[in-house]
Amino acid sequence: MAAVLAVGLVSSLSVALPAYAEPGRPVLRAGMNLEVSTLDPVRATNLFENTIALNVYDPLVFPDPDKGVIPWIAKSWEASDDRKTYTFHLRDDVLFHDGRKLEAEDVAFSMKRALTVPGLVGGYLRSIDKDRIEVVDPTTIRFHLKSVDPSFVRAMVLLKIMNGKQLMANKAEGSYGEFGDYGAKFLQNQDAGSGPYMIADFRAGDHMILKAFDGYTLRKWAPNAPGEVRLKIIPETVTLETKFFAGEFDFDFNSPAPPRVKVFEQNPKIAMDKWQTLNNYYVVMNTTLPPLDDVNVRKAISYAYDANTVMNRIHAGGVRLDGPVPKALLGSCEGIPRYDYNMEKAKEYLAKSKYKPAELAKFKLEFAAVAGAEAFQKVGLMLSLSLKKLGLNVEVKPVRWTDIVAAQTKPETAYPFVYFYDSARVRHPSTLLKFYTKAGWGAPYPSGGIYWQDAAVTGMIDKAAALEDGSPQQMALYCEASKKIAAEAPAIFSHNDLRLQPRWKYLTAGTRDGGSSQYEYRFDMFRFDTAQPDYIANQAK
Amino acid sequence: MVRFLRRVLNTAIVVLFVSLLMFLLVRVLPGDPVAAAMGEGVTKEQADKFRAEMGLDKPLYLQYATYLDQLAHGEFGRSLIESRDVGEIVSERLPATLELVICALLFAVVVGVPLGILSATHRNGLLDQVSRLCSLTGVSFPGFWAALMLQLLLGAALALLPITGRITGPPPEHITGLYLVDSLLTGNMSAFGDAFRHLVAPTIVLALGPLAQVTGMIRSSMLDELSKPYVSFSHAVGMPGFLINYKYALRNAFSATLTLIGFLFPLMIGSAFVVEKVFAWPGIARFGADAILANDYNAIVGVTLVVCLFVVVVNFVTDELYVMLDPRIRLQR
Amino acid sequence: MTPTTATASGQAAEATSWLEDAAPVVRKTGAARRFARFSRNRLALVGVSILAVLLLAAVFAPWIVPYPDDVADAVNFDAVLLPPSLQHWMGTDEVGRDVLTRVVFGARWSLSMAAIVLAIAVTIGVPMGLFAGYYGGAVEQVLMRVTDGFSAVPALVLALAITVLLGPSLLNAMIAIGFVWWRSFARIAHGQTLSKKQEAYVAVARSLGASDLHIMFREILPNISSALLVSISLNAGYAVLTGTALSFLGAGARPPTPEWGAMVADSRNYLPDAWWASLFPGLAIFVTVVSFNLLGDGLRDYFAEE
């Protein structure tokens, strides 16, 4: 008890003090080109909100690129025979940042909160029965599923465990009944987590400072891991890169655009890690709108899409995506229809369309590109150029991401084309395939407005869910479903991109995919070579 | 006194008018505040509930009354992009913008006034030619472009100055929120230097146009003044030239500068919307630009109203000072 | 009328007027000599010449640019960000389009921006100013208070808000700026009308039984047109600056429209290495605005002599 109190005292003290470098431990500095608009892990959407959430909060199970998930706050778990009930056994030595011990009650609270507060985490966990969350004892929790969900355990990575007592002690007036605002006000500038870092200072639109949590027990602190992380919001890419080269930042969250790559590669002090991601890039088509309701038009459009240029010239490289699921998740699956850039074939399919050329020429199709995402606009320009050659008019329209998300929730408002990526937060084919069944419609993200279905595909996906996870039979069904979906071209399946991560050579940052989106940015795994002169010079900046 | 009260009343009417204008703009023009506010997957019931909660289902004049009432209590409503109260954001970010605008204004006046006077007294000389050329070009720069080019020059090419942000190290203790003032008050010289270095580049960009206008206006009003009979008379009676310039020129410069400040202030706040964006300056203008672009309607109204309030107050004060300094106007009224 | 804003805008308009000192006044009559008199102001002539070139470029753009296809949604990823060369005098941009081609086409957008903004602003502002100045009293109070209200929010801010609320596009940006800009013309028309309505010809017209509308639009308006013309050309430059700023912020032109502000916005991520893609569109804005200002000053001096 005394120890707990002491930790609590220390952590509350360090929160109260303005956080500037304590001598000895390295400070990690980086720039963010998007605003951090929420610190609530349930509401986090963009790369930075997500990165902050996963450094400040821990999940029950931790993503692992090889094994899927490994025990974390939960030291073990088991499923019932019908795979509709899961029981997790928690470690008893995990502390929240206020020094209190993490208990099953907190897990139950966090789950209920994630399923109540709007945000994309709830979407991934929607198979869980919110009213049947059982706290068996302080270290045991049981969830009941409404239907079998083969991706359930992997999806648990997204559930960040929050300090329920602390949030409720600080609740404000709100629309969640006895839960008030569910801690939203408290979370505006502080955290309620148990992760390796604590939010020490946050100024919306300006900066974020994280400090290492000394009471962290799940991983031992290395002396050359960042003791403090300073993130500055720098909206302009050019300024961000200038500051990186000037040594004000240690690494760069963003892959440089292809024309800029050589600038990074030629700098002797800079290293660039490259790894293949599972980010699924596609152009979703609203198949309820004419002429996109015609499969031949969709196939023609798919053939008119130059995926290689998109992948290698607009983005910094990657592997081609055949069908809705990346190869890495689907295993060996031969015969998925693929649309390699071919204008002749595009013309052939368009000729087969039920729409006459004169009718096609009348459509004005909007291509929504996320405002400010330059690469996305370029993809739109490219597609509109080749579709113009086919006699189809496409207008590229920059739209705010939140507006796209809102529009995509209904087929009536969904854009004809949206280019975006799904960062495969949950690494399982079923998550990605579900979007092509009615059950997966309308989820704003990550499906992004797919309103296409097919009875055979739905049948296969449902059947696969009931089979043993990872079994050849299950994978075979997923393979068949992918073939069928790709044949109908409800979206242009583009590619999985290559991540280029520039860093100063004294820093070892993530070097491969982290197993779930942004888990490569667990800062406690970053290491500094503190003996290098560049390190010493840059830390002073 | 009656005149003064009338002016106060007029000013209040202007502010009220702007509040009505902005209120109508965000509600009458297309763009659904509910969709913007709720974003992700709203059901119709949720949207209706939200409408009712926000009072958006009531008739417009009632909405306006409620809205005025909230404003009177200092409530601007929640910002969508930063999900907290707009008033809080504004009060947090206002000092940054004020510091920048005041510095730019000072820079424009301190450099522009002497330059204008020298230009006029050395009419058609080399200095005059150069300063006229600068003034012509100064008002013609697109601010965003000048900012980018200056960033490249100062930051990337010469590595002389920081090119974004307001301060690198810890900010000085909060007193006024203006870093230069606070660091001086607390004797924190390192913070002062730090903040000053960050201010240089955005100040120059923001002051480009105003500097040109100050120089030009001071020059032309000086020329006017110097061609008046009493100046020739002073020359004739043998008053030294510098004394004449000083006596007539400066008094004239003061009132001219005052009017200019009233005119330049809104212009500079407007330019700040672009300049703060490029320099990642954590001020109200950058927030305002982001909020407008994001259709964050509480923030749009909040920011424009605060900006309007400042413009109106600055105009009012400069005008009153103008009247105090110039007895002719005082007598006229 | 609040005196502050009146004096401020009056004086500030003056602030940009001094650039070229009036040439020695030699009164000459005859239409043929007018141009000669105007062209003695060499800087103004420079401004007019540049504007003429821009106008010609805008009109004949499709025939004079080296790569007419690069205006629309052309992309060429084999020629991305090539530095200036004989093939591409201003280099290529981030999707391989010829920058010179796009800069030339951009003249169309900037000149139409100026034209549309001013047309809207004059149409709203001048009648407001005429009415306010001519009728005085309550009409004046109401109209000028509305003008004050519009002036209390910086033009860029109000125009940005209106554009975004209308839906970001170049046309909406033009409409929004026009809708914000009328206040300058209301001010000038108001001030001018106040002084002109005292003149003898107004009294004469009135005694002959002319209607108020006739007096305002047939007697007073022609007599204040020179002041309005000067103000129009001075405001044209600022309208272009505001329009390009809106596009830079992402509220105006949509890709792939070759609008100068949008071009700078799109290529700024490739600074400092690929400086040409941002430098030239920015220079084009600068030159256009300078020309409008030179023209305005020239006109002012010209009318001042009359």
Side-chain angles (χ1 to χ4, degrees):
Chain A
M1 192 62 205
V4 174
L5 267 179
V7 172
L9 207 65
V10 168
S11 63
S12 62
L13 260 181
S14 55
V15 170
L17 288 171
Y20 289 97
E22 64 185 77
R25 291 171 88 173
V27 178
L28 178 71
R29 300 138 326 135
M32 311 186 276
N33 62 349
L34 296 172
E35 299 282 345
V36 173
S37 56
T38 179
L39 302 179
D40 186 336
V42 171
R43 301 196 75 113
T45 48
N46 72 35
L47 177 130
F48 301 106
E49 292 162 2
N50 217 21
T51 300
I52 289 162
L54 63 88
N55 276 288
V56 169
Y57 297 90
D58 263 343
L60 291 188
V61 294
F62 202 80
D64 184 283
D66 303 317
K67 298 175 201 143
V69 292
I70 54 171
W72 205 247
I73 292 176
K75 51 187 182 193
S76 66
W77 58 90
E78 68 258 350
S80 65
D81 289 340
D82 65 354
R83 288 190 292 129
K84 282 179 143 180
T85 305
Y86 285 81
T87 309
F88 290 86
H89 304 282
L90 314 182
R91 289 172 60 138
D92 62 357
D93 61 344
V94 178
L95 298 179
F96 281 116
H97 298 156
D98 68 353
R100 194 174 69 83
K101 204 174 261 183
L102 185 152
E103 292 177 334
E105 279 292 351
D106 297 297
V107 179
F109 171 87
S110 307
M111 179 63 93
K112 270 191 199 135
R113 189 176 185 281
L115 294 174
T116 310
V117 175
L120 59 91
V121 175
Y124 285 98
L125 298 170
R126 49 184 159 175
S127 56
I128 292 162
D129 189 343
K130 190 169 133 185
D131 303 320
R132 291 179 64 203
I133 300 170
E134 277 178 58
V135 175
V136 181
D137 64 55
T139 57
T140 314
I141 183 138
R142 189 169 293 145
F143 299 112
H144 297 273
L145 272 53
K146 289 179 277 191
S147 59
V148 178
D149 177 2
S151 64
F152 171 69
V153 176
R154 285 164 199 251
M156 287 301 284
V157 165
L158 303 181
L159 181 74
K160 307 291 191 264
I161 308 306
M162 309 179 78
N163 189 335
K165 281 219 173 86
Q166 190 179 22
L167 286 184
M168 284 306 94
N170 291 290
K171 74 179 173 193
E173 216 172 288
S175 51
Y176 298 107
E178 58 169 318
F179 297 103
D181 66 342
Y182 245 132
K185 193 169 172 28
F186 180 80
L187 293 172
Q188 273 174 15
N189 51 12
Q190 50 205 315
D191 72 76
S194 66
Y197 289 92
M198 313 184 284
I199 293 170
D201 190 19
F202 171 60
R203 281 285 290 278
D206 193 48
H207 69 261
M208 152 74 68
I209 295 173
L210 302 175
K211 283 203 112 184
F213 173 46
D214 291 324
Y216 195 61
T217 49
L218 286 154
R219 195 136 63 186
K220 207 170 147 17
W221 280 107
N224 56 345
E228 185 178 315
V229 181
R230 285 189 206 167
L231 304 170
K232 264 199 100 65
I233 292 174
I234 310 282
E236 296 282 319
T237 311
V238 50
T239 346
L240 211 146
E241 290 183 357
T242 309
K243 283 179 171 277
F244 170 73
F245 283 118
E248 289 180 48
F249 295 144
D250 301 308
F251 82 110
D252 190 348
F253 275 104
N254 292 297
S255 293
R260 297 275 302 150
V261 169
K262 62 175 189 299
V263 182
F264 287 83
E265 283 177 341
Q266 283 162 359
N267 192 315
K269 293 170 185 286
I270 307 295
M272 191 135 66
D273 298 313
K274 298 186 182 181
W275 66 83
Q276 186 56 52
T277 73
L278 289 182
N279 294 337
N280 259 2
Y281 281 78
Y282 33 74
V283 181
V284 169
M285 293 186 255
N286 185 343
T287 53
T288 65
L289 291 178
L292 302 176
D293 54 353
D294 182 343
V295 63
N296 286 312
V297 175
R298 297 200 301 266
K299 284 187 178 182
I301 293 171
S302 298
Y303 274 117
Y305 178 82
D306 185 355
N308 278 324
T309 300
V310 169
M311 189 164 81
N312 298 318
R313 301 294 189 84
I314 298 179
H315 296 285
V319 293
R320 190 78 164 79
L321 181 62
D322 300 337
V325 185
K327 285 188 194 75
L329 293 184
L330 202 53
S332 74
C333 176
E334 296 299 321
I336 299 179
R338 173 164 166 170
Y339 305 86
D340 284 325
Y341 180 54
N342 186 332
M343 289 305 278
E344 289 311 310
K345 278 199 174 161
K347 278 177 198 146
E348 269 170 44
Y349 276 104
L350 205 62
K352 288 188 204 166
S353 149
K354 64 180 181 189
Y355 297 99
K356 295 187 188 66
E359 291 176 277
L360 289 172
K362 280 192 202 130
F363 291 110
K364 279 242 180 310
L365 301 169
E366 282 183 320
F367 180 108
V370 179
E374 204 208 334
F376 288 34
Q377 280 187 18
K378 288 185 188 169
V379 172
L381 284 182
M382 233 188 63
L383 186 64
S384 77
L385 177 67
S386 38
L387 292 183
K388 192 171 270 173
K389 289 181 189 151
L390 292 179
L392 281 167
N393 294 311
V394 176
E395 194 203 350
V396 182
K397 186 179 177 188
V399 188
R400 275 194 316 138
W401 174 236
T402 49
D403 292 342
I404 293 182
V405 168
Q408 297 305 91
T409 52
K410 280 184 268 124
E412 304 85 60
T413 52
Y415 286 97
F417 300 101
V418 179
Y419 179 66
F420 75 104
Y421 71 90
D422 175 346
S423 58
R425 286 180 157 82
V426 177
R427 302 287 158 88
H428 198 279
S430 70
T431 331
L432 293 163
L433 288 169
K434 219 179 194 157
F435 305 138
Y436 305 89
T437 67
K438 206 166 177 184
W441 286 6
Y445 184 81
S447 73
I450 292 162
Y451 294 98
W452 177 91
Q453 67 160 340
D454 177 280
V457 170
T458 310
M460 284 188 262
I461 293 170
D462 287 347
K463 200 172 154 199
L467 297 173
E468 188 195 331
D469 198 26
S471 63
Q473 293 86 341
Q474 190 195 40
M475 295 317 268
L477 279 171
Y478 286 145
C479 173
E480 279 311 307
S482 297
K483 284 183 198 170
K484 191 105 178 93
I485 294 168
E488 291 278 327
I492 303 172
F493 302 108
S494 183
H495 66 287
N496 295 138
D497 69 335
L498 189 70
R499 177 80 176 82
L500 302 189
Q501 191 194 269
R503 59 174 167 87
W504 279 74
K505 282 187 174 158
Y506 55 73
L507 174 71
T508 313
T511 52
R512 59 178 298 198
D513 179 75
S516 173
S517 39
Q518 280 99 45
Y519 263 89
E520 51 275 17
Y521 300 124
R522 270 286 288 226
F523 300 130
D524 57 331
M525 294 304 286
F526 283 28
R527 296 289 181 268
F528 284 91
D529 182 349
T530 52
Q532 283 197 33
D534 284 337
Y535 165 81
I536 296 157
N538 284 355
Q539 283 282 300
K541 283 175 185 162
Chain B
M1 196 58 207
V2 174
R3 192 199 59 81
F4 182 82
L5 286 178
R6 234 182 100 116
R7 295 263 302 123
V8 173
L9 185 70
N10 275 346
T11 307
I13 291 175
V14 167
V15 176
L16 204 65
F17 174 79
V18 171
S19 78
L20 180 65
L21 177 72
M22 292 317 296
F23 173 82
L24 289 177
L25 275 182
V26 294
R27 275 166 184 79
V28 173
L29 290 183
D32 185 6
V34 179
M38 303 198 65
E40 319 155 12
V42 228
T43 61
K44 190 165 175 313
E45 295 77 59
Q46 282 175 309
D48 288 343
K49 193 178 162 218
F50 180 79
R51 256 174 222 286
E53 262 175 35
M54 304 289 287
L56 292 170
D57 52 347
K58 296 202 183 78
L60 268 184
Y61 68 92
L62 273 183
Q63 286 189 39
Y64 183 60
T66 327
Y67 157 89
L68 279 187
D69 183 56
Q70 284 170 345
L71 281 187
H73 292 90
E75 286 170 29
F76 290 95
R78 263 170 89 83
S79 152
L80 307 176
I81 53 173
E82 278 194 19
S83 49
R84 56 194 181 123
D85 191 71
V86 174
E88 194 182 313
I89 301 172
V90 166
S91 58
E92 192 178 289
R93 283 170 167 260
L94 191 60
T97 299
L98 282 184
E99 183 163 45
L100 178 58
V101 171
I102 292 171
C103 280
L105 208 52
L106 274 179
F107 181 74
V109 169
V110 167
V111 177
V113 170
L115 205 61
I117 295 176
L118 285 176
S119 261
T121 52
H122 300 78
R123 190 175 179 186
N124 291 332
L126 181 65
L127 181 83
D128 188 27
Q129 304 284 359
V130 172
S131 90
R132 277 158 65 194
L133 188 73
C134 291
S135 297
L136 168 67
T137 51
V139 292
S140 309
F141 275 111
F144 57 91
W145 184 72
L148 284 172
M149 294 297 136
L150 193 70
Q151 274 192 336
L152 285 185
L153 195 71
L154 291 179
L158 306 173
L160 281 178
L161 288 167
I163 48 174
T164 57
R166 209 179 159 201
I167 199 157
T168 309
E173 195 186 323
H174 184 100
I175 301 170
T176 59
L178 309 176
Y179 285 175
L180 288 186
V181 176
D182 289 354
S183 56
L184 280 183
L185 287 179
T186 53
N188 184 347
M189 287 327 282
S190 73
F192 182 84
D194 193 347
F196 183 81
R197 284 162 46 80
H198 282 81
L199 262 167
V200 175
T203 299
I204 291 176
V205 174
L206 200 57
L208 267 180
L211 174 60
Q213 289 181 313
V214 171
T215 316
M217 167 149 173
I218 296 292
R219 177 180 180 274
S220 67
S221 68
M222 270 289 287
L223 286 179
D224 269 1
E225 207 68 16
L226 291 177
S227 65
K228 283 185 179 156
Y230 61 84
V231 177
S232 319
F233 176 75
S234 308
H235 273 293
V237 299
M239 258 174 93
F242 74 89
L243 203 61
I244 301 174
N245 289 344
Y246 178 79
K247 190 171 168 203
Y248 299 114
L250 274 187
R251 205 189 54 202
N252 191 37
F254 268 129
S255 49
T257 309
L258 271 179
T259 13
L260 260 182
I261 288 175
F263 165 77
L264 289 175
F265 188 78
L267 262 186
M268 295 175 84
I269 295 248
S271 319
F273 273 64
V274 175
V275 173
E276 288 195 356
K277 194 121 173 89
V278 178
F279 285 102
W281 193 259
I284 184 181
R286 182 171 132 228
F287 171 72
D290 290 343
I292 292 175
L293 289 168
N295 228 328
D296 183 348
Y297 76 106
N298 279 336
I300 297 178
V301 177
V303 169
T304 30
L305 271 184
V306 170
V307 166
C308 155
L309 206 63
F310 266 87
V311 169
V312 169
V313 167
V314 167
N315 266 329
F316 184 83
V317 171
T318 49
D319 211 46
E320 288 306 309
L321 284 174
Y322 188 85
V323 173
M324 269 162 54
L325 283 176
D326 198 331
R328 281 169 303 178
I329 294 184
R330 206 165 48 210
L331 288 176
Q332 262 174 29
R333 295 185 195 184
Chain C
M1 184 72 223
T2 35
T4 332
T5 30
T7 24
S9 68
Q11 299 230 16
E14 198 185 312
T16 40
S17 74
W18 51 277
L19 286 163
E20 183 70 1
D21 278 330
V25 181
V26 186
R27 289 288 302 190
K28 283 177 187 166
T29 47
R33 303 256 165 133
R34 283 194 189 149
F35 180 72
R37 190 149 53 85
F38 177 77
S39 49
R40 236 191 343 267
N41 186 335
R42 253 178 285 147
L43 277 177
L45 208 58
V46 170
V48 172
S49 315
I50 297 176
L51 287 175
V53 170
L54 280 172
L55 192 65
L56 286 176
V59 173
F60 296 106
W63 295 279
I64 56 171
V65 296
Y67 302 88
D69 289 343
D70 287 2
V71 174
D73 33 15
V75 283
N76 178 6
F77 285 95
D78 294 324
V80 166
L81 296 173
L82 296 177
S85 65
L86 282 177
Q87 282 78 40
H88 300 281
W89 291 3
M90 294 183 181
T92 64
D93 69 4
E94 66 285 351
V95 288
R97 296 173 299 208
D98 182 52
V99 174
L100 173 63
T101 300
R102 293 173 62 76
V103 165
V104 170
F105 264 90
R108 288 187 161 190
W109 296 113
S110 290
L111 293 182
S112 26
M113 166 68 71
I116 292 178
V117 165
L118 294 170
I120 298 174
V122 168
T123 315
I124 305 176
V126 171
M128 293 230 347
L130 278 173
F131 279 107
Y134 184 77
Y135 288 112
V139 176
E140 183 181 34
Q141 281 298 320
V142 171
L143 291 182
M144 294 327 282
R145 210 59 63 234
V146 172
T147 313
D148 286 344
F150 270 84
S151 313
V153 184
L156 179 78
V157 180
L158 196 52
L160 183 65
I162 296 176
T163 311
V164 171
L165 291 168
L166 285 174
S169 79
L170 196 51
L171 183 67
N172 285 343
M174 292 176 182
I175 295 172
I177 300 174
F179 184 67
V180 168
W181 221 265
W182 60 264
R183 59 197 197 189
S184 322
F185 296 104
R187 282 268 157 67
I188 289 157
H190 174 241
Q192 292 280 323
T193 308
L194 279 182
S195 68
K196 297 285 189 244
K197 79 171 176 187
Q198 314 294 346
E199 304 225 347
Y201 57 80
V202 174
V204 172
R206 197 176 285 140
S207 67
L208 290 174
S211 69
D212 287 348
L213 281 179
H214 178 92
I215 296 175
M216 276 187 277
F217 288 92
R218 288 295 160 85
E219 305 292 340
I220 298 180
L221 185 58
N223 279 293
I224 66 171
S225 60
S226 54
L228 286 175
L229 205 61
V230 172
S231 166
I232 285 173
S233 54
L234 286 174
N235 273 292
Y238 293 110
V240 169
L241 281 183
T242 310
T244 50
L246 288 195
S247 287
F248 175 81
L249 289 173
R254 299 262 190 80
T257 315
E259 199 276 343
W260 293 333
M263 287 169 73
V264 175
D266 285 345
S267 48
R268 69 183 189 275
N269 289 342
Y270 301 95
L271 291 168
D273 308 77
W275 47 268
W276 51 88
S278 334
L279 178 76
F280 291 113
L283 268 183
I285 303 172
F286 175 67
V287 169
T288 309
V289 179
V290 167
S291 312
F292 273 122
N293 286 341
L294 287 176
L295 170 66
D297 291 334
L299 283 177
R300 180 191 302 274
D301 294 346
Y302 173 87
F303 289 125
E305 284 176 42
E306 274 194 336

